[in-house]
Amino acid sequence: MTSDDAPRFETDWLTLPDLVEVLGEPLGRVRRMLDEFQLVGSKRDGVLKVPSVFIVDGHPLPSLRGTVFVLHDAGFSDDEAIDWLLSPEESIGMPPIEALLAGRKSEVRRVARTVV
């Protein structure tokens, strides 16, 4: 099974009002988190949404921001970065987001630097 037909990591998608509630932050602060890549979202069904798995214990996953920077440096758009994070990655043995949640930040970023 290639990564193209492997199932993606299952996650709910949160809109900006959902993020305000989950994070307990005002809308302006949530937008700043997106601008600073503490969170990354994409248009789904015409609305900006963020995968709920990017939030842990009411805060953005700390290792997400640096990983998104590495992916942007590799030429990924926000949509492509999200897709890569949620899709199984053969060299890691799981979706990168799952590895980030397990504390394997260095491995994920090393692999992210090599994917194009």
Side-chain angles (χ1 to χ4, degrees):
M1 183 182 282
T2 67
S3 63
D4 289 340
D5 41 89
R8 285 175 31 139
F9 189 89
E10 284 296 317
T11 185
D12 291 327
W13 291 82
L14 303 172
T15 62
L16 288 176
D18 295 333
L19 290 166
V20 166
E21 185 176 325
V22 169
L23 296 169
E25 298 284 353
L27 181 59
R29 176 73 183 118
V30 171
R31 288 188 188 280
R32 206 163 33 258
M33 288 178 180
L34 287 160
D35 290 344
E36 296 171 353
F37 300 110
Q38 293 175 47
L39 292 171
V40 63
S42 70
K43 293 264 182 164
R44 306 281 162 149
D45 305 318
V47 178
L48 181 70
K49 295 184 181 180
V50 172
S52 63
V53 71
F54 291 175
I55 298 170
V56 177
D57 297 328
H59 300 282
L61 177 65
S63 56
L64 182 65
R65 185 171 191 249
T67 304
V68 170
F69 279 129
V70 170
L71 291 168
H72 284 168
D73 288 349
F76 281 62
S77 67
D78 287 349
D79 283 334
E80 292 167 333
I82 291 169
D83 288 344
W84 185 80
L85 286 163
L86 298 178
S87 299
E89 174 57 45
E90 193 175 301
S91 60
I92 300 173
M94 63 181 64
I97 189 63
E98 200 172 323
L100 287 177
L101 291 167
R104 295 165 53 189
K105 169 178 74 175
S106 297
E107 178 184 6
V108 170
R109 291 181 185 172
R110 178 182 48 75
V111 171
R113 284 185 191 94
T114 66
V115 292
V116 177

